[in-house]
Amino acid sequence: MKRLVLLLIAPMVLWAQPEFFGYFESEADIMQLGGQRYSFGYNKLRLDVEARPSDNILIGANLTAQSYRGRTTWNLFDFLPEHAWLTSPYFDPASSSISEAPEIPFSLQDTLFLNNMYLKLSLGLLDLTLGRQQISPGVGYAWNPTDIFNTKTLMDPSYEQPGVSAIRMELPLRDRLTLSAIFQPKEDSYHSTEQFGVKTGLGSFDFEFTVAEYLAADFSPQSMGALKSQKALVGGSIIGEIMEWGVWFEGAQFTHVYNDDYNETVLGVDHTFDNSVYVLFEYLHNESGVTDKAGLTFFDYVYALEGSKHSLMQDYTFLYLMHPTFDYVSLSALAITNFNDNSGTFAPQLDWNAFEDTNISIQGSLFWGEDDTEFGLQDWGVRLRLRSDF
Amino acid sequence: MRLKNPLLLLLLTSTLCAQSDLAHTIMVAVTDIMSPVNMYNVGTQTITTSSGKERTFEMESWSANKGEKSLTRYTKPAAIRGQAFLMLNNADDIWTYFPRTKRVRKLASHAKKQKVQGSDFTYEDMGGGDTFLTQFKSSYVGKEEREGVSCHKIELTGIPSEDPPYPKMTLWARDSDYFPISIDYYNDKGQNHKSLTLSDIQTIENFPTAMTMVMTNHLERSSTLMKTVEATYAWEPPKGFFTERNLKK
């Protein structure tokens, strides 16, 4: 499908007058983890091109070059507590020592890749988008149970998501009634993804109902290993307001061959006070998460890290506060709590719009909880990010 | 004070009623002249902060049904290029679109009072419609010269049950055509915290149009200058223009 999209897109971009824009981003991080201090970071250049050969066609693509610095090779087990090692297929009790972590090294390689490349056709009422495109379903801020395409970073949930190769259709039937469908065709229907949705509105509320079928990895208790199989999702979302507070709900029920059905729900509220303080709060309940840290396996961590599960454990809250304190300077803070292992993080942040298209942000993070908990594993961190758009 | 003379009471009451009627008549004219059926506008917005720093934005905006529906899309600077907001029902319902994440977010009504891109305009200020008539009670103060122009001065008092954007406003409308050239906005403490000045008024397609608008925030000592670069009232919204689908385009 990629070749077909490329064949369609390339000539059109050449004769349409394309617009170029993008950004340069540089990030430097320091992290204190298990008594060790690491420094790492990256430089990233994203070049976007958009062309509109006619009113009904939009062609978009972006090329991203990213180079890493500092520590670029990591051991996955550095991010897992010791009790998770024991359930890992990489841990051999006969030859390994519990005091020494097994190794699953992974390296961050400098990359140059097409992050998005799509063609959007407006055929009367129907919008059809073909190719690698950003898809961001759901109304939740930190978590989106109905999102089967992306993995969010809790420390920065609004960061852009990578493109997804798909065919997407949107058919607005009325002003606030839209049908949508997303297909990710693979070699056969078993490996493909289909998602259908209907979005409508009533008064100050928007409602969305969605169903999906996709291939997902999950832990199989029978074989103590990872198995891929078709998973089904039935879910929806509501967003609106009550007493001038923004309120939203997003939830989904998942069915899977190897595990019991489970539900995942997010409840959120937000408000801006008269003194310009903005507050956002979300609560996640994810039944696929583990309730007791003693029950965590290596696979739980892997699936949470790679996004097959939206969270490692069951109950979390996310709190975000922001205030535009000075000219072009805003102060904010986020706090995440895992209620199942009593760990969490508090991360204050300063954002400075130093020049018209240049933003500098510094985020500190303090973690609490015992050493074998999700957040307590790490001690503290600092992130400095500079971004300049053009 | 007790009025002992019934004739004086009658005269005073009828004068007050007449002035109230006059104020209402003027506000109907102001609303009419300020709310063309449809509009397309290209403009710039320059924010000057209390420390004198400036940021300039460029945007396109469309409105229909006398401002009841509007869509604004930023074209510059690069950092916010493509960001857009859709307002329906006189800004009671607001959706924003963030091109970086391709997300549309519905904002709750508390957001109406938020500054748009850090400017001195709120979403509510940008909304149109018949807000002056439905959310305020008007009273005629008298004739007054403003910026060298003879004006009618009207005081607008918010009707609490209608959730007005400000508890009180004072408006100066030109004698000649009722086009407003100045508005003072008051906060809950009775302070005049913002003032809007409309100038360089040109007639475009029979509608007087302020090519320059300055909103000054007296408390934060900041100001926002909005300049109209291009405007037309002949634009007709295509079907489905004020929808989430078009917001994302």
Side-chain angles (χ1 to χ4, degrees):
Chain A
M1 193 181 79
K2 280 180 193 168
R3 282 185 187 166
L4 176 71
V5 172
L6 192 64
L7 276 171
L8 273 167
I9 286 175
M12 288 173 140
V13 170
L14 290 175
W15 59 262
Q17 290 181 329
E19 283 184 79
F20 294 93
F21 55 97
Y23 64 82
F24 171 82
E25 187 174 272
S26 184
E27 187 177 302
D29 293 80
I30 298 172
M31 178 170 70
Q32 179 85 8
L33 175 75
Q36 294 273 344
R37 190 171 302 174
Y38 303 101
S39 66
F40 54 98
Y42 64 82
N43 290 318
K44 178 178 174 183
L45 178 74
R46 172 169 157 154
L47 178 65
D48 283 76
V49 56
E50 260 184 29
R52 288 179 190 271
S54 79
D55 284 350
N56 302 324
I57 301 173
L58 167 69
I59 298 161
N62 59 65
L63 189 68
T64 301
Q66 192 158 355
S67 67
Y68 296 91
R69 58 169 183 269
R71 189 179 169 99
T72 54
T73 301
W74 301 83
N75 179 9
L76 180 66
F77 283 98
D78 287 341
F79 301 94
L80 310 185
E82 285 176 14
H83 62 79
W85 304 354
L86 303 172
T87 54
S88 151
Y90 300 88
F91 182 76
D92 176 7
S95 59
S96 306
S97 156
I98 187 69
S99 59
E100 196 178 319
E103 289 220 347
I104 307 181
F106 64 95
S107 291
L108 301 169
Q109 307 282 350
D110 293 353
T111 53
L112 177 66
F113 62 102
L114 267 172
N115 192 7
N116 290 284
M117 185 176 65
Y118 60 88
L119 172 82
K120 185 172 180 180
L121 294 166
S122 297
L123 306 162
L125 275 179
L126 179 73
D127 282 341
L128 181 68
T129 311
L130 299 164
R132 199 170 166 82
Q133 57 194 289
Q134 196 168 260
I135 297 173
S136 309
V139 296
Y141 180 76
W143 298 280
N144 295 106
T146 60
D147 186 354
I148 55 173
F149 301 104
N150 303 295
T151 306
K152 276 188 169 178
T153 307
L154 278 181
M155 300 299 283
D156 194 1
S158 61
Y159 197 80
E160 71 198 21
Q161 298 287 355
V164 175
S165 285
I167 299 168
R168 185 181 197 179
M169 285 181 269
E170 286 184 312
L171 180 67
L173 299 177
R174 282 194 281 116
D175 275 3
R176 288 177 75 182
L177 178 64
T178 304
L179 303 179
S180 63
I182 300 167
F183 300 101
Q184 268 191 298
K186 299 274 173 69
E187 60 265 33
D188 54 44
S189 61
Y190 178 78
H191 291 90
S192 301
T193 298
E194 300 96 35
Q195 183 161 21
F196 301 93
V198 56
K199 187 172 183 181
T200 187
L202 185 66
S204 61
F205 282 85
D206 281 354
F207 303 87
E208 187 159 20
F209 176 74
T210 185
V211 292
E213 201 166 67
Y214 62 107
L215 193 72
D218 222 335
F219 177 69
S220 160
Q222 290 80 27
S223 61
M224 282 295 284
L227 287 171
K228 282 201 162 189
S229 70
Q230 281 280 335
K231 210 168 181 176
L233 172 157
V234 179
S237 64
I238 304 169
I239 184 166
E241 68 170 281
I242 298 172
M243 310 277 284
E244 291 200 342
W245 280 73
V247 291
W248 57 92
F249 166 82
E250 187 178 337
Q253 184 184 54
F254 297 84
T255 52
H256 190 271
V257 175
Y258 300 108
N259 280 320
D260 295 336
D261 295 358
Y262 66 89
N263 299 317
E264 194 180 320
T265 49
V266 166
L267 275 168
V269 292
D270 74 343
H271 189 74
T272 307
F273 293 95
D274 290 344
N275 58 9
S276 300
V277 170
Y278 173 74
V279 58
L280 179 151
F281 176 81
E282 273 188 358
Y283 167 69
L284 169 78
H285 180 69
N286 177 7
E287 288 177 2
S288 75
V290 177
T291 47
D292 184 353
K293 67 182 180 186
L296 284 166
T297 66
F298 169 76
F299 294 100
D300 290 313
Y301 281 93
V302 171
Y303 294 144
L305 286 170
E306 58 99 19
S308 294
K309 282 171 38 161
H310 287 126
S311 67
L312 181 69
M313 300 186 87
Q314 278 203 353
D315 299 288
Y316 293 81
T317 56
F318 180 96
L319 175 69
Y320 174 73
L321 293 159
M322 193 275 288
H323 183 255
T325 312
F326 309 108
D327 291 351
Y328 307 116
V329 174
S330 66
L331 299 176
S332 60
L334 63 88
I336 305 158
T337 306
N338 176 335
F339 286 95
N340 301 113
D341 68 4
N342 295 316
S343 68
T345 181
F346 171 72
Q349 183 168 319
L350 181 146
D351 288 283
W352 176 35
N353 180 226
F355 306 102
E356 195 150 270
D357 279 312
T358 303
N359 283 282
I360 297 170
S361 71
I362 182 160
Q363 184 188 61
S365 43
L366 293 165
F367 298 84
W368 72 83
E370 292 175 10
D371 287 349
D372 61 348
T373 56
E374 184 178 7
F375 293 103
L377 199 68
Q378 194 177 325
D379 303 315
W380 56 265
V382 177
R383 186 191 77 197
L384 178 68
R385 187 185 282 168
L386 181 145
R387 178 178 165 131
S388 199
D389 291 78
F390 56 89
Chain B
M1 186 178 75
R2 232 180 121 191
L3 288 168
K4 290 182 181 169
N5 187 336
L7 194 62
L8 186 64
L9 181 64
L10 190 66
L11 190 65
L12 192 64
T13 310
S14 59
T15 305
L16 284 172
C17 285
Q19 289 204 333
S20 174
D21 283 350
L22 176 61
H24 184 76
T25 306
I26 291 171
M27 287 317 297
V28 170
V30 166
T31 302
D32 210 37
I33 206 161
M34 289 289 285
S35 312
V37 177
N38 301 321
M39 188 175 78
Y40 166 69
N41 177 293
V42 179
T44 63
Q45 187 182 65
T46 302
I47 304 167
T48 307
T49 66
S50 54
S51 56
K53 289 175 194 159
E54 283 190 358
R55 293 282 187 275
T56 299
F57 301 86
E58 291 181 22
M59 70 253 249
E60 281 183 290
S61 58
W62 298 259
S63 70
N65 201 16
K66 297 197 167 201
E68 185 257 322
K69 301 171 178 187
S70 72
L71 194 152
T72 300
R73 185 171 287 128
Y74 287 91
T75 50
K76 277 184 184 170
I80 60 156
R81 179 186 183 277
Q83 265 187 39
F85 55 89
L86 169 69
M87 299 197 288
L88 300 181
N89 305 320
N90 296 315
D92 276 348
D93 293 305
I94 308 170
W95 290 263
T96 56
Y97 172 63
F98 302 95
R100 194 180 292 173
T101 54
K102 304 276 186 230
R103 266 184 188 278
V104 172
R105 186 149 185 88
K106 187 166 192 321
L107 300 182
S109 64
H110 62 83
K112 288 196 293 186
K113 297 186 188 331
Q114 278 181 36
K115 295 173 167 191
V116 181
Q117 289 296 345
S119 75
D120 296 289
F121 289 89
T122 62
Y123 286 99
E124 219 157 24
D125 293 336
M126 314 270 278
D130 52 2
T131 305
F132 290 149
L133 299 174
T134 56
Q135 296 182 321
F136 292 90
K137 189 173 170 292
S138 49
S139 56
Y140 188 74
V141 179
K143 279 200 174 183
E144 195 174 287
E145 197 152 294
R146 189 83 170 177
E147 314 283 338
V149 179
S150 175
C151 293
H152 297 287
K153 184 179 177 183
I154 311 284
E155 202 167 272
L156 298 159
T157 309
I159 303 167
S161 58
E162 297 297 325
D163 190 25
Y166 302 94
K168 187 186 143 189
M169 294 197 290
T170 307
L171 180 144
W172 287 263
R174 290 197 302 201
D175 241 2
S176 52
D177 58 0
Y178 303 114
F179 192 83
I181 61 163
S182 188
I183 304 173
D184 283 348
Y185 301 85
Y186 293 82
N187 62 15
D188 293 334
K189 293 174 187 163
Q191 297 166 304
N192 169 211
H193 84 294
K194 290 203 298 191
S195 294
L196 177 68
T197 307
L198 299 94
S199 59
D200 187 14
I201 297 157
Q202 296 178 15
T203 302
I204 298 173
E205 294 154 12
N206 296 325
F207 277 96
T209 306
M211 305 305 279
T212 302
M213 288 196 282
V214 180
M215 181 72 95
T216 306
N217 189 319
H218 305 297
L219 301 183
E220 295 179 12
R221 288 180 296 152
S222 57
S223 66
T224 302
L225 164 72
M226 284 182 82
K227 277 193 165 288
T228 298
V229 176
E230 184 191 336
T232 178
Y233 302 101
W235 174 78
E236 284 287 333
K239 192 172 180 293
F241 187 86
F242 294 99
T243 57
E244 199 177 310
R245 179 196 190 198
N246 195 41
L247 181 69
K248 293 190 282 186
K249 272 192 177 166

